[in-house]
Amino acid sequence: MKKYSIVIAGGGSTFTPGIVLMLLDNLNKFPIRKLKFYDNDEERQSIVAGACEIIIKEKAPEIEFVATTDPEEAFTDVDFVMAHIRVGKYAMRELDEKIPLKHGVVGQETCGPGGIAYGMRSIGGVLELVDYMEQYSPNAWMLNYSNPAAIVAEATRRLRPNSKILNICDMPVATEDLMSKILGLSSRKEMNVRYYGLNHFGWWTDIRDNDGNDLMPKLKEHVRQYGYVTNAGQNEQHIEASWNDTFLKVRDTYAMDPETLPNTYLKYYLFPDYVVEHSNSEYTRANEVMDGREKFVFGECEKVIKQQSTEGIKLHTDDHASYIVDLARAIAYNTHERMLLIVENKGAIENFDPTAMVEIPCIVGSNGPEPLSIGTIPQFQKGLMEQQVSVEKLVVEAWATGSYQRLWQALTLSKTVPSAKVAKDILDDLIEANKEYWPELKKEAELVTANV
Ligand code: NAD
Ligand code: G6P
Ligand code: MN
């Protein structure tokens, strides 16, 4: 069996140890000969790498391990690039969340103005990774889960149309895990789903078991009362009170369209007033993550390095992250696995922009994804998606052309923002905060009555 060489871009990510443990648990299904970490922050990466080197020595000493900040060393001789970078790190995520909140608008990592700001930082970072891959390992595939995935996917479609990049999100996977628990199934793989939308913006329309029995009625009955909250235990990633609140709020999103089951992220667009009221502008999710996951992961990694062993260490496998292995295997072994990916629409949703990047089921094989046909979608979803996809396209347009007006239009079109005036106030604060990361934006005209 061929053994694969992988580089994890964003080696210093809080998710890296969980993914490494998951890869090591799946070596029988997906053998690895070389694992490399790449990051542009040597100090941050060195802590995660120091611990992972010891983990690998204990569990699979035959795997060659390298951590580097040199693109040539990182991207040479690889079959897969697993990319999860966060350009600007948590310090910038905190500003993405707090600046809009200061203006009474949703402050969120991937939705609304925060997601737009993050997108303007991520595009350049991810395109750089694509270019390194194509320069040093032209036959490799990139599995990208760097956020905001919707904007990153549109950027690669438009600016690197021939690159071998697959954009994927774990929210549907994590939600399907919860659904399978609600249904008392042993795995989400016992469900066959129909789903459509944009990334962090979609709906399940049909869920059946392997015999074809409709599982939607039982799920809907649960969701009507409890959202996606289940006492059967969450995955390790979405456990805090704030995630619980998100899973519970699904009741209201569901009530708006009881024909379908919604992605959790729709709450930010449909109930932005509720979200703002329940946000603490002094302590947002970024603070929760820095005080929680980041401290925990880096603390445990430092312990591993200090004691030179993993004894008593609480770092755990990211179980639900095994979808990454499913995706890599689909490419490597032409498995034709059915997975939700973010791909160019090209008519899969008949009554929707063929150039939109949509999240839909695909059959994945060695040549990449084959999207399944969705047919026509209802007016409500179509209207919401047209507005949101326009936001995403305008962000990429603004980045590519350096246009202030395009980005102002993007913010104004976001359903989370009440007016062009508020959009501009937020934008001007975001420009100031992102000076180091965004391309310079040229203004074609000024607001005449800005202070009225
Ligand atoms: P993190 O800040 O802990 O890790 C990100 C790493 O990327 C950091 O070590 C940073 O130094 C590095 N980095 C930043 N810019 C870089 C660049 N230009 N080149 C190389 N490395 C760079 O963040 P995290 O919370 O662990 O999340 C990592 C990423 O994964 C984020 O983009 C997050 O949004 C994403 N994520 C996506 C999904 C999904 O469903 N698609 C799920 C979980 C996390
Ligand atoms: C889900 C989403 C990701 C997002 C993550 C945020 O998994 O699919 O796209 O990055 O949640 O989690 P966090 O714990 O960092 O707020
Ligand atoms: Mn996601």
Side-chain angles (χ1 to χ4, degrees):
M1 211 174 185
K2 180 179 172 189
K3 293 188 174 188
Y4 293 90
S5 170
I6 297 170
V7 58
I8 297 185
S13 157
T14 56
F15 292 111
T16 298
I19 288 177
V20 167
L21 286 165
M22 182 278 298
L23 290 173
L24 296 179
D25 277 355
N26 285 280
L27 287 174
N28 57 337
K29 284 203 276 180
F30 185 63
I32 299 173
R33 66 183 162 87
K34 199 192 270 189
L35 187 57
K36 299 196 264 191
F37 285 6
Y38 169 74
D39 205 291
N40 63 359
D41 181 338
E42 185 160 20
E43 204 183 320
R44 184 178 176 90
Q45 172 166 269
S46 70
I47 301 167
V48 178
C52 288
E53 186 169 16
I54 293 164
I55 295 174
I56 292 166
K57 260 197 205 119
E58 285 183 8
K59 293 198 170 209
E62 69 282 4
I63 295 177
E64 185 187 335
F65 177 75
V66 177
T68 178
T69 54
D70 172 23
E72 182 172 357
E73 189 181 9
F75 288 83
T76 299
D77 179 33
V78 295
D79 303 299
F80 291 97
V81 178
M82 298 183 175
H84 58 190
I85 59 168
R86 182 186 291 284
V87 179
K89 293 176 276 191
Y90 290 125
M92 290 308 297
R93 175 176 179 176
E94 186 177 4
L95 293 177
D96 292 345
E97 293 169 353
K98 290 186 178 175
I99 289 171
L101 275 175
K102 211 177 74 194
H103 297 274
V105 169
V106 169
Q108 214 280 327
E109 179 193 22
T110 63
C111 303
I116 292 171
Y118 187 12
M120 288 288 287
R121 293 196 303 277
S122 275
I123 294 170
V126 173
L127 293 184
E128 189 177 70
L129 300 180
V130 172
D131 293 344
Y132 289 146
M133 175 176 89
E134 293 188 342
Q135 183 178 354
Y136 298 116
S137 286
N139 295 321
W141 280 85
M142 180 179 293
L143 316 184
N144 178 61
Y145 28 101
S146 311
N147 268 319
I151 291 170
V152 167
E154 168 62 11
T156 53
R157 181 196 71 82
R158 186 170 155 184
L159 302 167
R160 297 293 183 277
N162 300 316
S163 60
K164 289 197 282 183
I165 170 165
L166 298 168
N167 292 292
I168 191 160
C169 168
D170 75 345
M171 198 71 246
V173 172
T175 307
E176 287 169 23
D177 263 350
L178 294 175
M179 289 172 171
S180 67
K181 283 174 181 142
I182 290 166
L183 292 165
L185 303 174
S186 65
S187 150
R188 68 183 162 82
K189 297 203 174 175
E190 289 178 39
M191 306 184 333
N192 301 285
V193 311
R194 301 285 297 182
Y195 176 102
Y196 72 86
L198 310 170
N199 176 238
H200 289 185
F201 204 100
W203 296 265
W204 282 268
T205 57
D206 193 73
I207 303 181
R208 285 172 194 272
D209 67 16
N210 289 335
D211 298 323
N213 298 308
D214 187 1
L215 301 172
M216 288 290 266
K218 190 170 172 196
L219 276 172
K220 286 179 179 177
E221 189 46 35
H222 181 97
V223 170
R224 190 176 64 77
Q225 297 183 68
Y226 312 108
Y228 295 138
V229 175
T230 152
N231 53 17
Q234 318 280 30
N235 63 61
E236 290 279 357
Q237 194 187 328
H238 305 103
I239 41 178
E240 294 98 335
S242 56
W243 271 109
N244 198 68
D245 186 64
T246 292
F247 293 136
L248 195 60
K249 189 65 184 168
V250 166
R251 292 186 297 192
D252 293 334
T253 318
Y254 167 70
M256 275 211 79
D257 179 30
E259 301 288 298
T260 60
L261 290 169
N263 191 298
T264 55
Y265 279 92
L266 285 162
K267 83 164 181 182
Y268 297 106
Y269 301 95
L270 298 175
F271 301 101
D273 42 358
Y274 166 90
V275 170
V276 172
E277 260 168 54
H278 289 80
S279 299
N280 177 353
S281 58
E282 303 293 311
Y283 194 85
T284 59
R285 177 67 187 157
N287 300 108
E288 213 171 61
V289 172
M290 286 186 273
D291 290 341
R293 185 171 69 236
E294 190 181 38
K295 278 215 171 86
F296 167 75
V297 169
F298 280 79
E300 292 292 293
C301 286
E302 274 161 0
K303 271 191 241 163
V304 174
I305 296 169
K306 196 160 165 234
Q307 66 188 35
Q308 288 289 301
S309 96
T310 61
E311 210 183 306
I313 293 300
K314 296 195 209 72
L315 291 169
H316 46 74
T317 305
D318 243 334
D319 218 3
H320 85 281
S322 58
Y323 73 91
I324 294 166
V325 164
D326 293 336
L327 184 55
R329 275 175 50 84
I331 298 286
Y333 305 122
N334 203 24
T335 63
H336 296 122
E337 176 101 0
R338 179 168 160 166
M339 305 185 79
L340 295 182
L341 293 179
I342 306 159
V343 292
E344 188 164 1
N345 184 28
K346 290 183 178 163
I349 303 174
E350 265 173 51
N351 54 342
F352 196 60
D353 183 346
T355 71
M357 292 303 281
V358 292
E359 197 166 78
I360 50 175
C362 299
I363 304 296
V364 193
S366 298
N367 294 328
E370 289 276 349
L372 297 183
S373 157
I374 298 293
T376 59
I377 59 173
Q379 199 69 49
F380 176 61
Q381 276 81 2
K382 183 170 178 277
L384 287 170
M385 282 167 60
E386 276 169 350
Q387 182 177 18
Q388 178 59 20
V389 86
S390 300
V391 173
E392 291 157 8
K393 283 182 176 289
L394 283 165
V395 173
V396 174
E397 176 84 18
W399 188 89
T401 62
S403 162
Y404 178 95
Q405 257 69 23
R406 290 287 173 274
L407 200 57
W408 183 12
Q409 291 168 6
L411 278 149
T412 305
L413 254 186
S414 173
K415 206 169 153 42
T416 59
V417 176
S419 79
K421 166 72 167 64
V422 175
K424 186 172 190 304
D425 291 345
I426 297 174
L427 175 56
D428 290 340
D429 284 359
L430 289 174
I431 289 175
E432 188 56 32
N434 283 279
K435 266 196 214 136
E436 251 186 81
Y437 299 99
W438 288 9
E440 204 180 321
L441 301 177
K442 289 177 296 293
K443 254 184 221 169
E444 292 143 46
E446 228 342 321
L447 200 62
V448 183
T449 52
N451 299 318
V452 179

